[in-house]
Amino acid sequence: NAGVTQTPKFQVLKTGQSMTLQCAQDMNHNSMYWYRQDPGMGLRLIYYSASEGTTDKGEVPNGYNVSRLNKREFSLRLESAAPSQTSVYFCASSEHRTSTFRDTQYFGPGTRLTVL
Amino acid sequence: DAKTTQPTSMDCAEGRAANLPCNHSTISGNEYVYWYRQIHSQGPQYIIHGLKNNETNEMASLIITEDRKSSTLILPHATLRDTAVYYCIVRVAGTASKLTFGTGTRLQVTL
C-alpha cells in the first residue's frame, strides 16, 4: 500500500516548455487535489477533483490544466511553463465520505519544479 | 473556513510534552479542527481532528475548549523526529474542499 505517489520527484524546465505531473493513489479515494507550495509559504490549492469525472478550480488555477484519468490517477499539466511556476507541487487524496465526515487528506512526497 | 492563529515558533525538550495552541474564535458549529504537520520538504501529514470532544490517537491528543474558540495539540513525549511545522486548520468536513494552510507553528525539539 504505497498511499499517494508522484512522479517525477524533481524537474527542471525552460520557460515555455510543457510537462505533466503524475499522481496516483491506491487507497480507493474519491477525491484528489493538487497544491503548490512556494518557499516559506503555506500550500495553495490549484485544482481538485471531488469524484471521478469531475474537476474544479482552486485558488490558483491559471497556467494549469488537470485530468482525472480514472479513480486512481490525477495529472497536472503546465502547457507553457513560466518562472513564477517554480514551486513544490503536492498531490493529495481523500475518501470524501460526507455521511461520516471522514475527509482527511493524505499527501504525496511532492515534485520539485524549477522553471528557468 | 474560519481563520486560525498560531504562534510562529516553539521549542520543546526531547521527552517532554509539546503543547501547541491554536485560536479559532470565529469557528462555526459545523467546522472541525484539523491538525497537520510538515517535516522539512515532505508532504503534509495528517495528525488528528475533532469537532468538540477531546480526541486521542497514536500520534497526539487534541483538546478543544468548551466554547470551541481554541484548541491545543499535545504531543505527549516529543522526539527529535517531531521537529516540523504544525498547521491548525478549521474547515467543514466532507466537502472535498481545500485545506487552507496558514503559516503554522515551527516546533523545534531539542536534546
Side-chain angles (χ1 to χ4, degrees), chain A residues 31-103:
Chain A
S31 303
M32 298 185 74
Y33 314 79
W34 277 106
Y35 292 85
R36 61 176 286 176
Q37 184 174 33
D38 299 328
M41 298 182 66
L43 281 72
R44 293 182 292 170
L45 184 68
I46 305 171
Y47 271 93
Y48 69 99
S49 171
S51 60
E52 188 178 355
T54 68
T55 60
D56 286 285
K57 295 179 180 179
E59 294 176 82
V60 289
N62 291 342
Y64 305 95
N65 286 301
V66 291
S67 295
R68 184 73 183 267
L69 304 171
N70 47 56
K71 192 172 185 179
R72 290 187 64 250
E73 299 172 290
F74 189 39
S75 63
L76 178 71
R77 182 161 179 83
L78 286 71
E79 290 292 350
S80 179
S84 61
Q85 294 178 305
T86 294
S87 191
V88 181
Y89 292 83
F90 291 102
C91 177
S93 70
S94 68
E95 196 171 0
H96 187 207
R97 292 169 56 186
T98 57
S99 62
T100 59
F101 295 103
R102 290 184 59 188
D103 194 27

Side-chain angles (χ1 to χ4, degrees), chain B residues 11-20 37 59 74-83 86 107-110:
Chain B
D11 292 328
C12 179
E14 190 176 33
R16 305 296 294 270
N19 297 281
L20 290 87
R37 73 181 182 183
M59 289 182 68
I74 301 172
L75 307 178
H77 304 288
T79 70
L80 297 177
R81 288 177 294 180
D82 292 320
T83 293
Y86 287 77
L107 175 68
Q108 181 69 51
V109 180
T110 57

